[in-house]
Structures are given as structure tokens and as C-alpha cells.
Amino acid sequence: MTIIRGVFLVIGAVAFVLGWIGMYDLKHGRHPSDVFYWTLQLYVLGSDPLQEGGPYPWPLEVARILAPLFTLAAVVETGRLLLANEVRRFRSRTARGHAVVCGDTPFARALARQLFNNGQHVVQVRATPFGPLELRHRRMLGVSGDARSANVLRAAGLRRAKHLYVCGDTDELNHAIAVAAGTELQMRDTSPWIYVQVHRQQTCQLLQARRLGAAGTNRFRLDYFHVDDVAARRLYIDHPLRRPRDRPVRLLIAGDGSFPRVLLAETARHWRAIGGEADDLQIDMVASDARQIVAELAARFPFLEHVCRVHPHNETVETWMPRAVRPGRYDRIHLCHHDEQAMLELALQSPDLWHAVTDAVFVATYESAALADAFHGGQHNDLLDEVGGRLQVYPILTRACDAPLITDDLTERLAKEFHQRYLTASHGHGSSPASGVAWDELSESMRNANRAQVQGIAAKMQVLRCVIAVRNGEDAVITEDEVERLAELEHERWCEERTRQGWRPGERDDRRKHHPDLIPWAELGESSREKARDAVRSMSAMLADEGFTIVRLNEPVGVAV
């Protein structure tokens, strides 16, 4: 469109110049103002000298064709601009398989741009109006209005969207939008996956527990996320740890706030994923309440003490640093203090700190994304020296704008774990299931079956008269009688879900959707029953791995439950 507009501007300018020359030759001796007026009339098909008939000078012949052509283009472009808003609203309302991003925050706008840059159609919903040149691409649409309104959500094509990201500037606003979306989507067979940003990390964990335990009829996909969690996972994707053969990896995580807590847990999780030994990862945790932080994290995540060795130090960053600058003491230093400017100045002005690491000093920041771009803008766009790669300014909000990581939510992670444990149990019982492939190779239908199993946790909690809560070091024990009852319920749920997807009893054939276990529990073989029991037994361990636990509201139930 820019090239076309440029071409027509050139046509308009050439038409005026040729028209002036032709009019001057045709009416030689007339006042320049008359020539100027008659030239302008060429653009509206009504120049007075042309009423007298030809022949005309050749410049005028060309100009009287080009000028109306320019006028026609101007009329079309004006009409397009006038109707652009209505066209965008129509396209937003009829869009399919797109992402809806609600919010006026910089994070919401950055997330929308990231989705767009990844090739996805995006509809932004925000209260402030869109500028005339703000939405210039066909895949980027916008709706202005209050996202808490059902009419605004319909205008954004919510019912046909694939994902909804709620990223307002307050938690109250985000909850209101989520409630409005839930009301709009209730009782629908297919709904978008909804992700709600929460601004307090602890609140996010509590809401995840409450959503995981919700067993109502409105079971569309919904999860809550915090930028710290997403950014910490992104950090180890971009900067994975390496395992030296001759010595342990040494890390320093220093600072107060929520990000050091998240980073410590994610570091341990990443180390476990790459197969590291516990004694090969040594972490110094420096904060004013480091011992309390480590104790709380160890109580919440049972794998922490088995994956690495954490040494808490109740000190401030300033008092600890003089002892942390011995050459080669750490592979990495993470500075995550709430006083970001002080941490930046410390990292920028301390050569001893650069000598204290073999990899890099990471300065986590919420407000210095532009400075991070100046340091790490790319090979030909780095404005500042990275101290030989020893300095990494890590912008949390920017790195958290990662749609694939946001959608890899609690439900998805638990579904992957269910599938992995199912494979392990199947091999342990000597069977080789047809679905015995990795998650990435699994069909979407089988993935949905595992996701439905996660959503079925809530119904099991109701049977046990239990709820899910953030773990504090204790887990409820599920008796064998309860395991048997829940395994039967799980089998009934699985049969109902598979039947709804078109599966029928018969010899295993994924193409024809036949499965031999689609029979009542009483007729089920012992091997298949044991798989269902294993899924129930592993439920507590899976929840604990994500930092959650089962809490009984009453005394343990018996066989009669």
C-alpha cells in the first residue's frame, strides 16, 4: 500500500506539472492565476479551456488523463480510511482461530506484537481508541471498548478465538474480564484457552490451586500466570546451564522480592531436567530473609533438596559482595534486588564482580527493557559493551511476553506428566501401548485425553472431600480403598470422554477409534485396572512437583465413599 500511494502521488505531481505547461501553451499570455485555476480543474473533470475542443498540446493531453486517475485513487483511499474502522470491526467479529489480547498495558501490547510477529492473527481489545495508522496489517485487528462487556468480547470474535490473554493493569480488572469471558463461553463444546495475568506471584499460585480444584460445569481451559514464572523459564531456554566434568556448578542468587524465589525453584527444575546430580549444583542464596525463603521453597517443592545444594545467607547484597568477588568463585551471579538502579550500578561499576564469574552476571529488571536492548540488541545493533559477555541485563517483562510459554500452563504440564507416567506404568506392566510415543509426537486427540484427565482431578477431590492448596511440606495420604474407588471413577470418566470423541470398544485401532478398555470396570482386566490405580497414586506426587498438595476437609473416608 505504501508503494501504491507513492506511485499515485507521483502521478498527481506529474499531472499538475504537465497540466500547467499545457495550459500555459494553450492560453499563452493569460495571468498565471488563471493557468493555476484551470490546471486544478483537471482533477475534477471540468477545466474550462477543455470545453472549447482540441487539439491540445501534448503535455495537456497527458495531464487530462493522469489528473482524473489521481482523483479516483484519492477518492478510493479516502473511502477506505473512512470505512477502515468498520471493516476492522467486521473482520474482528468474524475472525477464527485467532488470539484475543485484552489490556492497555505495555505488556499487553508487547504480547500482541509478539503473537503477530509469529504469524498469528491477533485482535487487541483495549479501552483507549486505536490511532489511524496503528493497525496497518491485515493480521492485526483491534476493538476499542471495555473488555468486561459481553458485546465487546463478541466484537473481538471471542467464541471462535483460539486463545484469550487477559493482561489488564489491575487484578480486579483481569478477574472481571475472565468472569465475563466465562459467562460468554459457558456450556460451549469448544472454547478458547484463557490466560489471566496476576500481578502478585503468591496470589497467582493460590488462584491456580483454586482453579485446579474447580469441578463446575464451566470447564473451559483457564489458567493464571505471573511474569516472574514465565521469565524464569525463558531464562534457562535462552541460557541453559552446562555441567562441567571436573567441578560443581556454582550460582549466586542475590536479592529480595518474588523473582529470586521463582528463579531458585526454576533453577532446580532445569538442573533436574538436564540430568544433573545434586552435589554438582551449589547455590548461594543471599537475601535479608534467605533462610526463610529457602525453607518455604523446600516445603513447597519436595524435589528441591534432592536436586541441588542451597546455602542461605541472611545478608544484604552490599555486605555479601565483598566476599563474593574472589576470582572464579561462581559460574553465574543473579542480581534480583527490588532496587534495580542500585543493582545496575553495582554490575556496571564493579570489575571485581566481573572477575567473580566464569559465565555472566545477570541483572534482572522490570523497568530497563530499553537498556537491555542497548546491550543485547544483536550483532549489528548492540550500542553498549557487554563486558566481553560477562554482563547480561535481563528484562523480565519483555522475556515474559512469550506466548508458547504462557500456553504451556499448569494444565499442560500436568497433562505431559500424566502421559509420561502412563508410559512408565505401561512398560512396567509389560505392555506396549499404541500411544507409547513422546508428547510432541502424540495426536491432538490423545493430548486432549490427558488434559481431560487433569481436569478430572477436581471431581476426585470432591469424592475425597478434599481441596487442592499450595504445599507447605505435608501431603494427604490416599488409602488403598480410596485408590480403588478413584481408579473406578477415573475409568468411568475416561470411557465417557473417549465415547464422546467417537471411540468404540474393540481391538486397539487408533485410526478407526477402537479401544479394548471401553468396557465397564467390572469387566476390565487387572493390567488395565492397575494402570488406572497408578494414575491415582501418582496424583499427589505430580501435584507436589508443581508446588501443590491435597488437603482433607473432613476425616479420611472409607470404602463407602
Side-chain angles (χ1 to χ4, degrees), residues 378-440:
Q379 182 178 1
H380 303 292
N381 195 33
D382 49 341
L383 306 181
L384 298 173
D385 173 32
E386 299 174 334
V387 196
R390 295 280 177 105
L391 177 63
Q392 290 283 336
V393 179
Y394 192 74
I396 294 174
L397 292 179
T398 301
R399 296 298 181 266
C401 287
D402 192 315
L405 282 182
I406 294 174
T407 56
D408 188 28
D409 59 356
L410 180 61
T411 297
E412 198 76 353
R413 296 194 299 272
L414 288 174
K416 292 177 182 178
E417 184 63 22
F418 264 125
H419 178 64
Q420 185 58 45
R421 289 175 181 263
Y422 167 74
L423 295 181
T424 302
S426 297
H427 292 308
H429 296 300
S431 61
S432 180
S435 59
V437 296
W439 178 267
D440 293 338

Side-chain angles (χ1 to χ4, degrees), residues 134-272:
E134 194 169 351
L135 301 174
R136 294 174 290 172
H137 306 280
R138 289 188 56 81
R139 296 195 311 272
M140 182 75 82
L141 303 172
V143 175
S144 298
D146 189 345
R148 293 169 291 188
S149 167
N151 291 331
V152 172
L153 293 176
R154 291 191 200 105
L158 175 64
R159 293 185 176 183
R160 292 174 297 277
K162 185 176 181 180
H163 297 114
L164 168 64
Y165 302 91
V166 183
C167 311
D169 53 4
T170 66
D171 289 347
E172 179 63 23
L173 174 61
N174 292 344
H175 297 327
I177 296 173
V179 170
T183 303
E184 182 68 14
L185 297 172
Q186 60 183 330
M187 305 305 294
R188 291 184 61 85
D189 293 334
T190 58
S191 299
W193 296 357
I194 302 177
Y195 303 96
V196 182
Q197 182 183 7
V198 179
H199 295 277
R200 281 180 53 85
Q201 209 272 335
Q202 185 176 4
T203 303
C204 181
Q205 300 166 3
L206 297 171
L207 292 178
Q208 284 179 330
R210 299 278 55 77
R211 177 58 185 174
L212 195 59
T217 56
N218 204 338
R219 290 300 298 165
F220 54 82
R221 179 80 168 265
L222 169 67
D223 194 26
Y224 298 88
F225 72 93
H226 190 274
V227 294
D228 287 352
D229 298 314
V230 183
R233 284 191 284 160
R234 181 77 251 176
L235 188 148
Y236 284 112
I237 292 176
D238 295 336
H239 308 279
L241 293 174
R242 296 177 177 84
R243 295 181 294 166
R245 295 181 179 180
D246 55 343
R247 61 177 180 81
V249 175
R250 297 183 178 88
L251 303 182
L252 169 64
I253 300 177
D256 298 306
S258 61
F259 191 69
R261 298 168 179 259
V262 175
L263 184 60
L264 177 57
E266 191 58 36
T267 301
R269 198 185 303 276
H270 170 70
W271 188 251
R272 181 181 61 175

